[in-house]
Structure formats: structure tokens, C-alpha cells
Amino acid sequence: MAKPKKKESKLLLRLYIAGNAPNSLAAITNATAVCEKHFAPAYHIEIVDMLTHPGRALIDRIIVTPTLIRLFPLPARRIVGNLSDTHQMRLLLGTK
Amino acid sequence: MSTADTARDVEQRLSEALATIDALISGQVDAVLDAEGKSPLLLTRAQETLRQSEERYRRIVETTHEGIATLDPKGRITFVNRRLTEMFQYPEQKMHGKLLSYFMAAGPEAGTAVPAVANENQEILEQRVRYLRKDGSELWVLLRMSPIRDADGRFIGALAMLMDKTHSIVAEEALRKSEEQYRQIVETTSDGIIKINTHRKIEFVNRRFAEMLGYEPAAMIQRSVFEFMSAAAKRTAESSMKRRKAGETKAVNTTFRHQNGRDIAVNLAGSVILDEAGRYIGYLAAVRDITEQNKLEEQLRQSQKMDAVGQLAGGMAHDFNNLLTVINGYSELAITQLQPDNPLQNAMEQIKKAGTRAAALTRQLLAFSRKQILMPTVVDLNELISELEKMLQRLIGEDVLLRTKLAPDTGSIKADRGQIEQVVMNLVINARDAMPSGGELTLETHNVDLTEDFSRQHLGVSPGAYVMLAVSDTGVGMSAETKARIFEPFFTTKEAGKGTGLGLSTVYGILQQSGGSIWVYTELGRGTTFKVYLPHFADDSLRSRPTNAPRGGKQGTETILLTEDDEMVRTLATKVLTGYGYQVLTAANGREAISIVEHHSHPIHLLITDVVMPGMHGRDLADRLTALRPELRVLFMSGYTDRAIVHEQFLDEKTFIQKPFSPQRLASKIREILDEACDLRQ
């Protein structure tokens, strides 16, 4: 179960990536773009590189990258992939 | 956690797991973490690299100008690129599963047999293959095939690359055919062809040219053309090339030097070669061997010269004969009428001797001029030579060895026996004189068939069956200059007074008149061979027989009509005939003779007539008169006759006497004729 680090009202996301791998870079770009459009400035994305912090990925039960976790608002949700699927993104972020 | 919560949580995880699988499948995953989280496995880099690489290859395969196919180990097509379908004009699915050779054109030029698939260990490099497109047009390709192996090195098929070369190969084929055509023309023409560059170096010769000079074509390339010419020929060629450069196009006659050192006479028709820019880059020439042509022209010149000289000599001899008949006749009459102790007796003897020698000379002149009267019979040449052999042996002396090689089956000829004896003797004497310090003289006979080829090279000789007589000596031989003139009358290499210069001229004339020919082969210091060819005569019925010797005395009392246009001869003959006791009627021409016969009431036993007379010829006169008086006998006399008369051969040895004749000869001839007529009547 994901544990939010801060109890704030803004959108909190954590994105697990693998270095400069293409899907990882695409995921960063896609996530940032959606957040900037719909939530700026009330959002925060923490980007965790699984290659340098594999222990954290283990804690969050991450199997593959890229994986985006919505930490807040609860309940926590996650999507796998390069975040190019806008339908999935809308479900996760509750946007239209 | 409530049951509902738990259910939602499970549902949530399941949906996340599915999404993960989807992401994995769709290639959106970069890395996978193993259970311990120690070594994350990077996926995306490998995937992307592979994808990019595949994309790159796909693009290459689809955009390349070469047709590409992959084949299974049995050679069946498993993949073709778009270009290959365009090349073959078949859709991809029609090509799948077929062998490449299925599309190959038939015929030997389609290309050497291409294996269905590349050998496991060997590539096929650039093989030229002809396929047929769907529309039936031909498709020439350069085919390359290489084996494909899997990761373990197992042979799993082949990659074929086909480069469309139709355009260039068809053009190349056309060029090759056209070159082949030109090559054939150049190599089969009877002319030599030579191409030289501006440095006079030979760049090309055809086989004919090389053969003309006794070389292999390759041995002449890159050598200076002047290496194959004498200094004089080089000058001719240089000046001709200069003139040609100035625009002249006339062919020149010059020589090339054969490998054996001999010069070959040629006619050279050359032209300047220019490049596209009009700069001169060399010469091209057609070279015709004119040795044979020159030889024939020389033969023609010779024969024309001989004809002209012959006519002159013949004309003179005719007049001389009449004069000599008179001189000899009167000197003989004078001798018989002078007392033996008369001091003029010796003078008359000398006149008669000189006259006889002069007569012999005119006979030879006539022989040469071919205006002799020939009495052809069938002659066995071997027999003739055998009969002459003893006499010839005496003639040539002891220093010269006489050998005869007479082929037993040698055929007969039809000729005047006496004349052929003359030919043999003159040739033998000539051979003897060529060997002043002795040697070997060979007489050889055999049958020959003269071919068309021989006939082409020897002016005036028709092909056919001939009898050949060769007279060879081991003497001094002749230079080319001498050889060119030996048959001319009065041409002699002997010291003044030793030869008349008529021996070989006589031979020449006799043979010409007898339908034969004579050819000389000689080399200075190595001897000479004369080859005589006489037409073979198959019918033996005319074989010559010794003539009957005149019998009894020469006196007679019969009446003779003498027709002769030359008054001096007529007077002499009248004197001779009356001297022998005959009654003589004379006429100066045919008309007079007819008139006499018509008006003379007593028998006329014999007509003696000249053959060639103004107005009416002797033959016509004889015909007219024997029609009037069938019992009339005829004796013709002549110094010469036209060739036409000789060829008709109406003259018979028995009824003919040649001028100049002696009174005794005339008298015995008359008796022969009259006595035979008498025999017939009895």
C-alpha cells in the first residue's frame, strides 16, 4: 500500500523510471505535460530512477518501469507505460 | 479492511497487473526489476535498438534498387521486396514458394545453370541470368546469392540479390553482336587489314594480313609497321600517309616484307582515323596481295609482246619464202645445167647452201609467228622421245648425263610430229648450253590435270587433262631479267654467232599453235626446268604413220595447171615442171585458172595452187575446179597460212608442199599424187 509522504491538498505523483530509457523519458514528458495543463501549480511529481534506487522500487512493489503512482488524493493508483495513453491518464488523474 | 474494500483492492491490483502486461506487450516498458531488486533488467534499450535496426533494414530492403528475395534451404522463395515484384511484374504472393529458376528464360544464353540456392559454403557472385517478366519481355540480372545461417550456424536458406541490368546487357549484347559482325567481316575478307597509331605502331591486324606476311597476329601488335617494310616501301608508305592526311584517297602499290625476307607486292588503300574531336589518331588500311595479279599482268604483257613480234616476223618470212624459193630453185637448176668443171659450179653451190640456211631460218620465224602449216597427227610423246633419245644423246655430248623418266601411262597428244620433235630438240639444246661444264639433263613425261586454280594463275591455259613434258637441267639458271625475255626472237645469252636466238621462240610458237603452253621455273645457279603442257588427246585413230617413200622416177608427161600469184615463183615452177617433162598451164589467180579449165579441151591431171592468193584462195579454187573436173588432183603450196586455215586442218600432208621447196622435192611430190591417183583408178 502506498504511503503519502505529505498531507497536502495538491496532487502528488511518483514516477519510477529507468535512466534515459526511451519509455522513461517519454513518461516524464507526458506526465509533466498533463500536470502542467490541468494542475499547475498544485501538483508535485517525484521522479525515482529505479537504476540508482532499486530499494525504493522494491518498497513500492514496482516490477517494471516506467510506472506512475498517484499518491494523493487517495486511494493510490498506478499506471505502467510511457503515459501516452490519455484515457488511462484521465482515469488516474480524474481529469477530463 | 472490509470485504468490499478487499474486493476492490484485488480488482485494483488485477487491473494494474493487466495494464503492466499490456505495457510490456506494447513495448512501453523500459526495465524489469527482479525479485530481490538488485539488478534491474533493462528492456527498452534492447527493444528499441532492435526495433530501430529492423526499421532501418526494412527501409533499406524496400527502397533499394536491387531486387531481394530470401529462399528456404530448398530454394523456394520466402520473401521478396517491392523492387523484385516490380522487376518481375508478379505480385508478391505469386512468387512465394516458387524457385527463382521458375522465372528463368530458356536458351543457352540465359546464363549458366544457377543452383536453386546458394551452396552452404559458397556465395554466388554476380552471375548473369536472363529471366522473363510476366509480360514475356526479357529481364537480365546480375544475381548474387549468399547463404543465411541461424545463431547456431545452421544453414537455413539463402539471400538472393538481383540487379536489373537489362538495359546495359541488351545494349552490351547488341554491341557484342555488332562487334562480332564486324569481326567476322574483318576476319573473313580476303584483304589484309591493319591499324596503326600516330607513332606508326601496329594496333590491330586481321589474320589475313598476318598470314600474308607469315606471322601470328599477336606477334605484330605494338611493333612499328616499318619493321615489315623495306626501306623503299617505307618511303612510299610515309609519303602516301602524308598525302592521305592532306586528303588524298588514291590507293598505292607498295610492298611488305614477308617473314622469309621476300617482298610481297600489295595494293594499299588506307584512310586516316580521327577521334570525335576530329584529331588524327592513326591510319587504317586495307592491304591486297597483288602478287598474282602482277604475275598475270606480266604474262599478258609478255604474250602481247610475243604476238606483236610474231606478226612482224611472220610477215617478213612470207616474203622471204617467195624470194628463197626463187633463189634456191634457180641455183639448183643452174647447178644441174652447168658442166661439173665449170668454175661457176662452186659459186652456185655456195648460193644454194646459203639459200637453204636462210630457208631454215624463215621456217623457224614462221614457227615462232605461229603461221606455220601444221599437220597434226596423234603423237605418243614417250615413243617420240624414245626414238629421239639416241640422237639427243649425241647432241648433248658426253659431259651431260641424259635421263628420261617417262610415265608409262602418258597419254597421246594431237600435234605436228615434226614440230614436237623440234620442241624437244630445241629444249634439249638449250639445256645443254646451260651446262657448259656438264651436268644432268632430265626429260620427264606424265599426265596432269590442270586445275581451275592453275588456270587462273597461268594466262591462256584452260583447265583440263594435259600431257606434261618437263626438260630440266642442273645448269647456270637464269636471272629474272633473262627469264622475262627468253622467248623473244633473236634474244640470246650465247656468244655472238653461237645461237640464232630463235630456238626457244620456235618452241614457244609451236606450242602456242598446237594449243599447248610452256612455263619456266629457274633460279640462278640452280638450274632450269621448262614445263610443256599439251592437251591430252584421247582418240588414237589418227596416229601418225611413216609416209610412203616416193617410188620410181620423177619424170612425167601429164598436164599440170599451175596457179601462183608471185610471178617469179610461177616462172621458176614452170621451168622446173617442163624440165621434168610435164605440160604446164599457168594462171596468176583463181579467175584465170577457172577460165583455162573451162576452155582447155584436153585432160588436166593436176592443179598446183598457192593457198593464199588475192581474190580467190587456193582452197576455193580447188573446190570449184574439182567440181568441173572430178578427176583433177590438187597440190597446195604455201609459205604460211592463216591460223584459221590451219585450225580447220583441211591440209593433208600428202597434198601439200611447203615453200621454199626444191625442184626435186616438188617433182617427187607431184609423182606421189599422180601415181596414187593412178593406183586408185586401177
Side-chain angles (χ1 to χ4, degrees):
Chain A
M1 190 64 93
K3 281 192 281 182
K5 282 190 170 177
K6 296 173 186 172
K7 303 214 170 193
E8 289 170 23
S9 61
K10 62 180 173 183
L11 177 65
L12 290 181
L13 303 169
R14 184 175 296 150
L15 179 58
Y16 278 92
I17 58 155
N20 289 325
N23 282 317
S24 299
L25 294 180
I28 294 170
T29 311
N30 287 333
T32 313
V34 173
C35 290
E36 276 296 311
K37 188 177 174 189
H38 298 287
F39 304 101
Y43 78 98
H44 178 77
I45 304 176
E46 184 193 10
I47 293 169
V48 181
D49 188 343
M50 190 174 74
L51 300 181
T52 50
H53 300 96
R56 286 196 60 190
L58 206 60
I59 292 163
D60 270 340
R61 294 185 290 113
I62 298 298
I63 304 166
V64 298
T65 63
T67 301
L68 179 70
I69 305 171
R70 187 186 76 187
L71 298 171
F72 185 84
L74 291 170
R77 289 281 185 272
R78 56 179 67 195
I79 345 173
V80 176
N82 61 17
L83 311 183
S84 58
D85 187 339
T86 47
H87 175 66
Q88 288 280 326
M89 280 295 277
R90 270 203 299 275
L91 285 179
L92 181 83
L93 301 176
T95 55
K96 287 187 181 169
Chain B
M1 200 178 278
S2 68
T3 315
D5 281 349
T6 308
R8 236 188 336 271
D9 190 43
V10 169
E11 192 185 333
Q12 175 64 34
R13 285 183 182 206
L14 196 59
S15 116
E16 282 174 10
L18 285 173
T20 302
I21 291 167
D22 277 350
L24 271 168
I25 291 170
S26 64
Q28 290 186 21
V29 170
D30 287 331
V32 180
L33 200 65
D34 68 0
E36 276 123 28
K38 294 239 170 85
S39 52
L41 180 63
L42 268 176
L43 286 182
T44 48
R45 187 168 294 164
Q47 270 176 347
E48 181 61 13
T49 311
L50 184 64
R51 195 189 57 75
Q52 280 177 355
S53 139
E54 274 182 354
E55 172 63 18
R56 200 159 50 232
Y57 279 117
R58 199 188 58 80
R59 224 175 279 147
I60 291 171
V61 164
E62 289 306 332
T63 58
T64 179
H65 194 66
E66 292 188 335
I68 294 173
T70 55
L71 314 174
D72 69 14
K74 289 187 171 167
R76 288 178 299 234
I77 295 171
T78 52
F79 166 83
V80 292
N81 71 345
R82 199 169 56 225
R83 175 70 188 130
L84 195 68
T85 62
E86 287 166 4
M87 278 161 64
F88 280 87
Q89 298 173 340
Y90 286 104
E92 194 178 344
Q93 62 271 24
K94 290 269 184 198
M95 301 185 74
H96 276 173
K98 295 208 169 70
L99 297 174
L100 259 182
S101 55
Y102 172 84
F103 302 97
M104 227 157 92
E109 66 285 21
T112 42
V114 177
V117 69
N119 183 291
E120 234 181 287
N121 299 311
Q122 209 183 344
E123 296 199 349
I124 293 173
L125 291 172
E126 308 227 319
Q127 201 154 117
R128 185 182 284 197
V129 189
R130 190 169 64 141
Y131 293 104
L132 287 183
R133 293 196 187 93
K134 190 181 172 191
D135 68 3
S137 60
E138 59 180 24
L139 169 72
W140 279 99
V141 302
L142 274 186
L143 173 69
R144 262 179 288 173
M145 252 200 253
S146 43
I148 306 175
R149 292 168 214 290
D150 68 8
D152 299 327
R154 277 190 301 263
F155 174 65
I156 54 165
L159 176 72
M161 298 182 65
L162 299 91
M163 228 182 295
D164 186 349
K165 291 282 177 189
T166 308
H167 189 71
S168 62
I169 289 177
V170 165
E172 202 178 286
E173 276 294 294
L175 185 67
R176 196 186 59 72
K177 273 187 188 152
S178 142
E179 274 180 355
E180 172 66 17
Q181 203 171 10
Y182 276 109
R183 201 190 60 77
Q184 271 179 358
I185 292 170
V186 164
E187 290 301 341
T188 55
T189 173
S190 57
D191 284 355
I193 290 175
I194 176 169
K195 185 182 163 202
I196 61 174
N197 64 16
T198 52
H199 304 295
R200 314 293 192 242
K201 288 261 194 301
I202 297 174
E203 289 189 334
F204 170 82
V205 293
N206 68 348
R207 179 150 288 279
R208 172 77 187 110
F209 183 78
E211 279 169 1
M212 227 183 258
L213 305 193
Y215 293 90
E216 275 297 310
M220 304 184 76
I221 303 303
Q222 281 310 313
R223 289 170 68 179
S224 166
V225 68
F226 297 136
E227 283 183 48
F228 305 96
M229 285 182 166
S230 66
K234 176 182 166 181
R235 282 193 295 278
T236 313
E238 275 287 19
S239 78
S240 156
M241 281 193 274
K242 248 178 229 153
R243 286 200 306 277
R244 216 154 282 282
K245 237 172 121 181
E248 195 188 279
T249 53
K250 215 173 79 191
V252 291
N253 286 348
T254 179
T255 59
F256 273 102
R257 186 148 287 177
H258 192 276
Q259 197 179 22
N260 65 17
R262 215 171 283 168
D263 280 335
I264 313 276
V266 296
N267 179 272
L268 193 80
S271 56
V272 175
I273 313 172
L274 303 176
D275 67 6
E276 293 90 25
R279 283 180 303 249
Y280 125 87
I281 51 169
Y283 290 93
L284 182 70
V287 183
R288 178 162 297 178
D289 184 344
I290 53 168
T291 312
E292 289 302 320
Q293 191 186 327
N294 282 354
K295 220 156 85 187
L296 282 178
E297 278 173 10
E298 182 52 33
Q299 284 177 14
L300 182 65
R301 267 196 298 280
Q302 280 289 330
S303 109
Q304 282 171 341
K305 183 175 71 184
M306 300 297 264
D307 273 352
V309 178
Q311 272 188 358
L312 184 70
M316 275 174 59
H318 171 245
D319 289 342
F320 273 118
N321 271 340
N322 280 340
L323 295 173
L324 288 170
T325 305
V326 175
I327 294 169
N328 294 350
Y330 279 114
S331 54
E332 198 167 299
L333 281 181
I335 288 165
T336 54
Q337 285 168 18
L338 286 174
Q339 296 298 317
D341 55 349
N342 192 306
L344 283 176
Q345 183 71 259
N346 183 44
M348 291 316 291
E349 292 278 3
Q350 291 306 317
I351 291 174
K352 196 188 160 211
K353 221 188 230 170
T356 310
R357 278 179 56 199
L361 273 177
T362 55
R363 250 200 314 282
Q364 290 191 45
L365 269 181
L366 278 174
F368 165 69
S369 65
R370 294 171 247 161
K371 296 216 163 143
Q372 245 184 159
I373 290 152
L374 295 186
M375 286 161 211
T377 54
V378 177
V379 178
D380 178 335
L381 202 54
N382 285 354
E383 189 185 294
L384 182 145
I385 291 171
S386 304
E387 280 172 16
L388 279 181
E389 209 173 328
K390 208 170 242 173
M391 196 263 283
L392 294 176
Q393 188 68 65
R394 273 199 303 275
L395 203 62
I396 61 177
E398 286 172 356
D399 291 343
V400 176
L401 175 66
L402 177 68
R403 289 162 50 124
T404 51
K405 289 194 222 165
L406 311 177
D409 64 340
T410 303
S412 299
I413 55 172
K414 189 169 182 206
D416 186 308
R417 188 181 177 93
Q419 301 293 343
I420 299 302
E421 282 177 0
Q422 182 83 62
V423 167
V424 175
M425 279 195 327
N426 286 10
L427 290 176
V428 165
I429 290 168
N430 193 73
R432 174 201 67 189
D433 293 345
M435 300 183 285
S437 44
E440 207 174 290
L441 197 160
T442 311
L443 286 176
E444 198 181 341
T445 58
H446 58 79
N447 296 328
V448 284
D449 269 318
L450 297 186
T451 59
E452 291 274 357
D453 218 33
F454 184 91
S455 162
R456 261 196 298 281
Q457 291 167 18
H458 295 78
L459 195 74
V461 177
S462 328
Y466 284 80
V467 172
M468 189 210 67
L469 163 69
V471 181
S472 309
D473 65 59
T474 55
V476 292
M478 281 180 264
S479 67
E481 292 73 33
T482 305
K483 185 184 159 190
R485 300 190 58 191
I486 42 166
F487 294 119
E488 282 177 33
F490 307 112
F491 175 81
T492 177
T493 55
K494 295 168 192 169
E495 295 164 44
K498 277 216 164 172
T500 58
L502 283 172
L504 290 177
S505 318
T506 309
V507 168
Y508 180 86
I510 291 171
L511 292 171
Q512 289 283 312
Q513 207 178 348
S514 310
S517 60
I518 181 163
W519 304 93
V520 197
Y521 306 88
T522 182
E523 215 170 303
L524 261 183
R526 315 200 80 165
T528 302
T529 297
F530 284 91
K531 283 190 176 171
V532 169
Y533 296 100
L534 285 158
H536 178 255
F537 187 77
D539 183 1
D540 270 9
S541 63
L542 290 167
R543 196 172 276 276
S544 67
R545 274 169 228 96
T547 46
N548 296 328
R551 48 185 169 158
K554 293 164 185 168
Q555 297 284 329
T557 55
E558 289 92 340
T559 302
I560 294 173
L561 171 56
L562 173 68
T563 313
E564 162 66 59
D565 63 318
D566 188 298
E567 198 200 327
M568 284 200 296
V569 176
R570 195 169 65 235
T571 312
L572 169 71
T574 310
K575 221 167 208 169
V576 169
L577 295 174
T578 47
Y580 279 103
Y582 296 101
Q583 302 292 315
V584 181
L585 306 166
T586 59
N589 53 52
R591 211 162 19 85
E592 274 184 36
I594 292 168
S595 160
I596 289 171
V597 168
E598 283 170 350
H599 296 99
H600 190 79
S601 50
H602 300 287
I604 300 175
H605 300 92
L606 177 70
L607 167 71
I608 300 180
T609 177
D610 198 7
V611 174
V612 184
M613 289 184 298
M616 186 182 289
H617 275 206
R619 177 80 244 183
D620 298 335
L621 177 65
D623 288 346
R624 294 275 287 272
L625 296 188
T626 48
L628 291 172
R629 298 191 178 212
E631 78 283 1
L632 183 71
R633 300 291 109 189
V634 184
L635 173 62
F636 293 100
M637 58 183 174
S638 183
Y640 81 98
T641 186
D642 282 349
R643 206 189 286 212
I645 300 174
V646 174
H647 280 206
E648 283 167 24
Q649 293 168 359
F650 74 89
L651 291 172
D652 175 345
E653 175 171 18
K654 286 181 200 150
T655 59
F656 177 77
I657 184 164
Q658 179 154 14
K659 289 180 189 172
F661 46 78
S662 68
Q664 285 102 327
R665 174 96 188 96
L666 179 63
S668 52
K669 196 85 197 176
I670 291 169
R671 277 285 23 112
E672 272 175 44
I673 295 171
L674 292 177
D675 289 346
E676 191 184 288
C678 196
D679 290 349
L680 286 174
R681 271 196 298 276
Q682 281 164 4

